[in-house]
Amino acid sequence: MIPTYKFKKLVLPNPDFSSEKHNPFPNHYVHIVGVEEEVTILRSLQKPRKITFKGSDGKSYIQMLKPKDDLRKDFRLMEFNDIVNQLLSRESESRQRRLCIRLYSVSPLNEECGLIEWVPNLVGLRLVLHGLYKQKGSVMSTKEIKEASCTTRDPLAKKREIFTKVFLPKHPPVLGEWFKRTFPDAQSWFFARTAYIRTTAVMSMVGYILGLGDRHGENILLDSVCGDAVHVDFNCLFNKGETFEWPERVPFRLTQNMVAAMGPLGVEGLFRKSCACTLRVLRTNANTLMSIVTPFVYDPLVSWPRIVSSSIHNTAEKTNDQALDHVKNIQLRLQGIIVKSRDRSLSIPLSVEGQTNSLIKEAMSIDNLCQMYIGWGPYL
Ligand SMILES: Nc1ncnc2c1ncn2[C@@H]1O[C@H](COP(=O)(O)OP(=O)(O)O)[C@@H](O)[C@H]1O
Ligand SMILES: [Mg+2]
């Protein structure tokens, strides 16, 4: 007989996303009665394990066990996204446009490991693109990419030239092809493309407000059943990406493939409208969002980059200064003020449309993209 283990705090939700009733934060508890023997080890950085729990309700629950990662930020971010979804569903325009973020449960177990609900039918953006380029025979090997890449010290003109004359011509847009193949009939293709545009727009705006980085092609996944873009791995928050060796320069990922897959209008039309609609809801509800974000950034449980200091008092003060800075930046963005990462100068408060326009331009700027870390795939 399989022994019954009761995990009081472990929330194992019903992973049926096809149902409108899917609730990633249910208030009933299912406990674990067993673990399936088959485990898949994923290839990404932390080598997470995909495991299946047998629940006391007779159902199977696929989870990702993530080692060497503090999931408390991911957990808090999911709570934040849940509130954003509620705000989006309250406003008539965003509700009509069905703007929302895909949620999944995150259960931090301690400071360095936790469980993430496995969302079925997802495929990584990079994997999709890589597969298509391979079929077309225009895939660049890691060695070729390394040889062609610039160093951080190269001048902007050289970076721009290599990006536009080597990387972009080798990678013509192909993502639209994936939509055509995955959704072969006209109606499902149209719905999938619309869902992709909307979900990309919402997460772009929410990610920008929170300074979410590390949006490489393995942290943005596509749902092969409904077309949604689903973001994972929320460790790089509050503009941490700007401190990397290759500082991140774009407010969100909006690479040439992502734009071309939106159709002949590109970012015009549905994408721009959905971005502006989301931003308007976020800005209108700035006070509510700040009340969620403020304790989040001050939370001593959420690890910030360690500051080497001689006294504990000093460290606490510096951590507080840093937290204060994060809160201030989020507040400014919610007022339509753009903070330039290079010299920290501030723009005048922009209208929702003006802010949306400025962000889309920054995200698509060749000068920004050519200075991104090549492993991020700015050319994809
Ligand atoms: N909730 C999820 N549902 C389905 N697949 C996921 C989920 N979270 C992550 N993945 C897959 O697992 C991979 C690794 O997860 P990630 O959190 O990015 O780990 P790492 O820190 O190792 O990069 C992702 O690239 C994605 O393909
Ligand atoms: Mg990742």
Side-chain angles (χ1 to χ4, degrees):
M1 206 180 94
I2 305 164
T4 304
Y5 303 102
K6 286 202 176 179
F7 286 86
K8 268 193 186 155
K9 284 187 179 163
L10 186 63
V11 180
L12 292 172
N14 177 357
D16 181 14
F17 289 104
S18 56
S19 155
E20 294 254 320
K21 288 184 198 125
H22 170 69
N23 175 8
F25 305 107
N27 51 14
H28 65 274
Y29 293 91
V30 177
H31 52 261
I32 300 167
V33 294
V35 184
E36 301 258 350
E37 282 184 10
E38 202 181 301
V39 172
T40 311
I41 301 175
L42 304 180
R43 285 176 178 200
S44 67
L45 192 68
Q46 308 294 1
K47 303 271 174 290
R49 274 73 161 159
K50 186 179 165 194
I51 55 175
T52 309
F53 288 125
K54 293 173 201 160
S56 56
D57 58 353
K59 292 183 188 161
S60 286
Y61 294 90
I62 306 176
Q63 300 271 319
M64 189 173 83
L65 182 60
K66 212 169 168 201
K68 291 189 230 125
D69 201 354
D70 188 344
L71 294 184
R72 287 174 297 192
K73 268 197 229 169
D74 296 62
F75 173 74
R76 291 272 203 156
L77 201 96
M78 274 302 147
E79 282 188 325
F80 183 87
N81 287 350
D82 188 29
I83 304 286
V84 170
N85 275 352
Q86 287 177 38
L87 298 174
L88 288 169
S89 69
R90 254 189 246 161
E91 300 288 331
S92 62
E93 194 193 342
S94 46
R95 189 173 57 245
Q96 273 163 20
R97 290 184 179 275
R98 294 167 192 259
L99 299 181
C100 67
I101 305 170
R102 280 284 284 275
L103 304 178
Y104 47 85
S105 85
V106 178
S107 318
L109 297 176
N110 61 25
E111 295 88 338
E112 48 193 37
C113 101
L115 292 166
I116 295 180
E117 177 188 357
W118 186 264
V119 183
N121 312 312
L122 297 185
V123 45
L125 178 66
R126 206 186 86 88
L127 201 75
V128 166
L129 298 174
H130 199 258
L132 289 164
Y133 287 125
K134 214 168 162 184
Q135 278 176 21
K136 288 184 190 293
S138 71
V139 79
M140 272 176 100
S141 68
T142 317
K143 192 169 162 245
E144 282 174 309
I145 292 174
K146 253 191 187 161
E147 278 169 7
S149 304
C150 293
T151 67
T152 33
R153 273 163 280 118
D154 282 329
L156 173 61
K158 184 175 173 196
K159 287 177 183 158
R160 194 189 298 127
E161 174 146 340
I162 302 268
F163 187 72
T164 51
K165 304 225 166 106
V166 179
F167 283 102
L168 286 185
K170 264 277 193 189
H171 298 89
V174 290
L175 185 56
E177 192 66 33
W178 179 81
F179 278 93
K180 276 190 220 150
R181 290 186 197 178
T182 315
F183 306 97
D185 70 284
Q187 196 186 26
S188 66
W189 167 82
F190 182 73
F191 281 136
R193 199 183 71 173
T194 307
Y196 156 73
I197 298 174
R198 285 172 173 159
T199 45
T200 301
V202 177
M203 234 3 248
S204 296
M205 294 301 112
V206 173
Y208 157 69
I209 293 293
L210 292 174
L212 175 66
D214 202 23
R215 296 301 90 200
H216 57 73
E218 270 139 8
N219 286 338
I220 300 180
L221 314 167
L222 295 169
D223 190 316
S224 54
V225 171
C226 67
D228 278 358
V230 180
H231 284 242
V232 298
D233 203 350
F234 299 115
N235 213 354
C236 180
L237 276 175
F238 309 120
N239 300 81
K240 189 174 148 191
E242 287 174 7
T243 63
F244 292 171
E245 190 191 347
W246 285 83
E248 294 202 344
R249 289 166 186 274
V250 288
F252 43 84
R253 188 181 188 95
L254 192 58
T255 46
Q256 45 103 2
N257 262 298
M258 294 182 69
V259 175
M262 291 175 186
L265 288 178
V267 295
E268 304 310 330
L270 189 55
F271 180 74
R272 187 181 286 274
K273 285 227 168 83
S274 304
C275 284
C277 181
T278 307
L279 201 55
R280 187 169 298 109
V281 170
L282 298 176
R283 282 175 59 165
T284 315
N285 294 283
N287 288 344
T288 309
L289 296 176
M290 285 316 296
S291 69
I292 306 161
V293 167
T294 310
F296 180 0
V297 293
Y298 276 115
D299 190 345
L301 293 176
V302 175
S303 65
W304 298 111
R306 297 243 178 279
I307 297 161
V308 184
S309 167
S310 51
S311 78
I312 297 168
H313 177 69
N314 226 347
T315 313
E317 256 179 21
K318 280 189 185 159
T319 312
N320 256 359
D321 279 353
Q322 210 182 15
L324 210 67
D325 217 35
H326 294 310
V327 173
K328 215 175 88 196
N329 282 339
I330 294 171
Q331 212 155 24
L332 290 171
R333 283 178 223 138
L334 286 169
Q335 289 164 3
I337 298 172
I338 309 260
V339 187
K340 300 236 167 64
S341 60
R342 271 132 277 172
D343 53 3
R344 318 300 299 162
S345 63
L346 307 180
S347 75
I348 51 158
L350 301 173
S351 66
V352 167
E353 283 71 21
Q355 192 178 15
T356 308
N357 189 42
S358 157
L359 293 173
I360 292 177
K361 260 171 53 189
E362 284 283 305
M364 291 173 69
S365 145
I366 294 288
D367 280 4
N368 282 342
L369 288 166
C370 75
Q371 295 186 77
M372 292 286 290
Y373 171 55
I374 206 71
W376 188 86
Y379 52 88
L380 283 176

